[in-house]
Amino acid sequence: MEQVHEGDVLVLAIETSCDETAASVVKNGREVLSNVIFTQIALHAQYGGVVPEIASRKHIEKINQVIEEALAQAGATLEDIDVVAVTYGPGLVGALLVGVSAAKAISFAAGIPLIGVHHISGHISANYIEYRELEPPFICLVASGGHSHLVAVKDYGVYEIIGMTRDDAAGEAFDKVARAIGLGYPGGPKIDRLSREGDPDAIPFPRAKIAENEYDFSFSGLKSAVLNYLNSCQMKGEPVCQADVAASFQKAVIDVLVEHSLHAVRKFGYDKFAIAGGVASNSSLRAAFEEACGRRNIRFYRPSPVLCTDNAAMIGAAGYYEYAKGVRSGYDLNAVPNLRL
């Protein structure tokens, strides 16, 4: 590890909100010295989704070795660490508790400050790692298995939610549709791959609009339309082209995400737009935003796929900016599964 100069802040970050056990060492909120992720995808795939109890147990098994590996890769010891940051919500309560307990123990044993980080704030902050020149304000779309938020990032850690899903999150819809057409779990990457072989205009699936809030999303009607289409084909004995269903469904999701997001950028008068969260790694979504932002002269920021899915580096970035503002968490920090941004 390079020599840490006086004034540098090293954050040890921990993320266990769902089915990834992750730890990272981040320097000054922007430079990742290590980013270790143990994923449980193969373990949960046989059940068709994440089983909370299994996830919690696996976090307990892996948390210490993942933290030790993150420190080793960074060439650091606990004596070098200035602050420990951890996701405390939202997420699966049992999974969150493993990370929070580990972080509190490290904070107490090493005598260093503890910072609780909001998971969505972490996803947004992944953009600061990828783009060191990026500074607020900007609009960010956070799209993942559990969240579809349109956020005005006013300052570091200062957010205004301007739109969110009324029902299913985008990633949740991807998983459910993937299961319906027989692709299995996780749905997002599988639909992304299969869509390349299909016609996105083959089936006219609906695009929902919410009358009360022009920035809100709704994907349950789209999911139902896909299920109805599949049932209709089955009843009529008609063949189903999986690739066409996947491509048409994906285009319906992307059209809505792009339209609402760029409408918000225009209305707020910003010239910067970022994406974050697991769905942000979707290749068609990234291409659609690239094209739409290019046409409107909007600077577009998208983290590498490894920083879109759950990881601890993004928690380290968010934790650094909370630390810099003087935020500190006490040892009464607890897991908050439904934590609001």
Side-chain angles (χ1 to χ4, degrees):
M1 186 182 77
E2 66 178 274
Q3 187 63 39
V4 178
H5 304 295
E6 196 173 322
D8 286 335
V9 175
L10 283 195
V11 181
L12 171 64
I14 298 168
E15 153 65 31
T16 62
S17 64
C18 190
D19 62 334
E20 264 86 26
T21 315
S24 174
V25 177
V26 179
K27 177 178 160 187
N28 298 333
R30 303 263 177 168
E31 186 180 340
V32 179
L33 304 185
S34 65
N35 192 22
V36 179
I37 304 166
F38 171 78
T39 182
Q40 303 177 21
I41 283 176
L43 190 63
H44 297 279
Q46 59 190 309
Y47 303 104
V50 177
V51 181
E53 288 306 317
I54 293 175
S56 304
R57 253 177 270 145
K58 192 52 78 173
H59 284 311
I60 292 169
E61 284 177 34
K62 293 291 179 182
I63 186 77
N64 285 344
Q65 68 190 71
V66 166
I67 291 169
E68 286 165 10
E69 180 65 20
L71 288 168
Q73 285 189 17
T77 66
L78 278 182
E79 285 74 49
D80 301 313
I81 300 299
D82 299 292
V83 57
V84 58
V86 63
T87 306
Y88 74 108
L92 303 173
V93 65
L96 289 164
L97 278 169
V98 178
V100 169
S101 300
K104 288 201 282 193
I106 291 168
S107 168
F108 182 76
I112 55 176
L114 172 70
I115 308 277
V117 173
H118 194 294
H119 185 71
I120 294 177
S121 180
H123 274 306
I124 293 168
S125 301
N127 283 283
Y128 301 137
I129 294 168
E130 194 80 42
Y131 302 96
R132 295 196 185 179
E133 76 282 5
L134 175 62
E135 293 180 349
F138 58 91
I139 298 291
C140 186
L141 170 70
V142 184
S144 67
H147 312 282
S148 292
H149 285 59
L150 205 47
V151 182
V153 182
K154 303 292 188 72
D155 202 347
Y156 295 107
V158 181
Y159 308 110
E160 180 189 346
I161 296 175
I162 53 178
M164 60 196 299
T165 184
R166 294 294 183 92
D167 37 62
D168 290 2
E172 191 181 348
F174 269 93
D175 282 340
K176 287 175 178 173
V177 167
R179 196 176 302 137
I181 60 178
L183 296 181
Y185 175 87
K190 294 185 175 184
I191 285 182
D192 190 11
R193 277 195 298 274
L194 184 60
S195 293
R196 292 167 202 162
E197 301 165 26
D199 176 5
D201 299 311
I203 308 153
F205 289 132
R207 277 82 165 149
K209 284 210 185 314
I210 309 291
E212 312 91 82
N213 186 347
E214 57 197 335
Y215 305 121
D216 276 357
F217 307 106
S218 170
F219 297 111
S220 67
L222 169 60
K223 178 194 68 188
S224 297
V226 175
L227 297 177
N228 290 341
Y229 173 81
L230 295 172
N231 289 336
S232 170
C233 288
Q234 191 177 14
M235 287 164 65
K236 294 175 188 170
E238 294 174 355
V240 171
C241 176
Q242 272 189 330
D244 283 353
V245 175
S248 300
F249 160 76
Q250 181 171 271
K251 186 170 192 292
V253 174
I254 289 172
D255 284 353
V256 170
L257 292 176
V258 171
E259 183 188 337
H260 290 202
S261 298
L262 296 189
H263 180 52
V265 175
R266 193 166 59 247
K267 272 287 187 73
F268 275 72
Y270 295 163
D271 64 350
K272 291 181 282 193
F273 172 72
I275 55 176
V279 177
S281 61
N282 180 286
S283 62
S284 297
L285 180 72
R286 293 164 85 89
F289 272 121
E290 187 102 50
E291 193 269 331
C293 288
R295 271 191 288 116
R296 294 167 176 79
N297 216 18
I298 296 164
R299 282 176 285 175
F300 175 45
Y301 302 89
R302 64 263 182 231
S304 300
V306 71
L307 291 174
C308 289
T309 51
D310 288 352
N311 66 89
M314 66 184 196
I315 302 303
Y320 168 81
Y321 287 106
E322 293 299 292
Y323 175 77
K325 285 192 297 188
V327 172
R328 303 291 182 270
S329 299
Y331 291 131
D332 59 347
L333 182 70
N334 204 353
V336 184
N338 298 312
L339 184 65
R340 298 180 70 84
L341 188 63

